[in-house]
Amino acid sequence: QVQLVESGGGLVQPGGSLRLSCAASGFTFSMYAVRWYRQAPGKEREFVAFISSAGDVTKYADSLKGRFTMSRDNAKNMASLQMNSLKPEDTAVYYCNVWMSLQNYWGQGTQVTVSS
């Protein structure tokens, strides 16, 4: 079955960095685009970043450009999100997402907390 498992979250001080990972299994990872979303307490889930199946196209939420970088390693069935210059407003649960066969697949999420 399709599985997406996020990891790498944690507590970081403002200005710090974290690298999130999304490990995929149960499908041909290299055939599908991957997205990251996040959801802060009391807010709707929002788009963070996109990467194409081959990894040659990336897109980001306008507010995150220049701070977040998404990548993937199809040989390892892994997608990553490098987050730099983190701000308290980046605090959220971060989710990995794949749209496949008319269905959305989500991981369980990983908590990122930016606080001094």
Side-chain angles (χ1 to χ4, degrees), residues 9-13 18 86-88 90-92 94 111-115:
L11 174 63
V12 63
Q13 292 187 345
L18 280 176
L86 284 163
K87 305 174 182 180
D90 294 318
T91 295
Y94 284 71
Q111 175 71 48
V112 171
T113 302
V114 185
S115 175

Side-chain angles (χ1 to χ4, degrees), residues 12-19 38 63-69 81-91 94 112-115:
V12 63
Q13 292 187 345
S17 298
L18 280 176
R19 186 176 182 87
R38 68 184 183 183
S63 62
L64 303 176
K65 287 179 182 177
R67 295 195 298 123
F68 287 17
T69 303
L81 184 69
Q82 177 66 41
M83 306 186 296
N84 298 328
S85 302
L86 284 163
K87 305 174 182 180
E89 52 263 42
D90 294 318
T91 295
Y94 284 71
V112 171
T113 302
V114 185
S115 175

Side-chain angles (χ1 to χ4, degrees), residues 64-113:
L64 303 176
K65 287 179 182 177
R67 295 195 298 123
F68 287 17
T69 303
M70 189 172 181
S71 61
R72 68 188 295 161
D73 184 338
N74 284 342
K76 296 182 179 179
N77 288 353
M78 187 85 69
S80 298
L81 184 69
Q82 177 66 41
M83 306 186 296
N84 298 328
S85 302
L86 284 163
K87 305 174 182 180
E89 52 263 42
D90 294 318
T91 295
V93 178
Y94 284 71
Y95 297 92
C96 182
N97 167 266
V98 172
W99 172 258
M100 178 184 2
S101 301
L102 301 179
Q103 186 170 350
N104 255 328
Y105 292 90
W106 299 91
Q108 83 290 349
T110 186
Q111 175 71 48
V112 171
T113 302

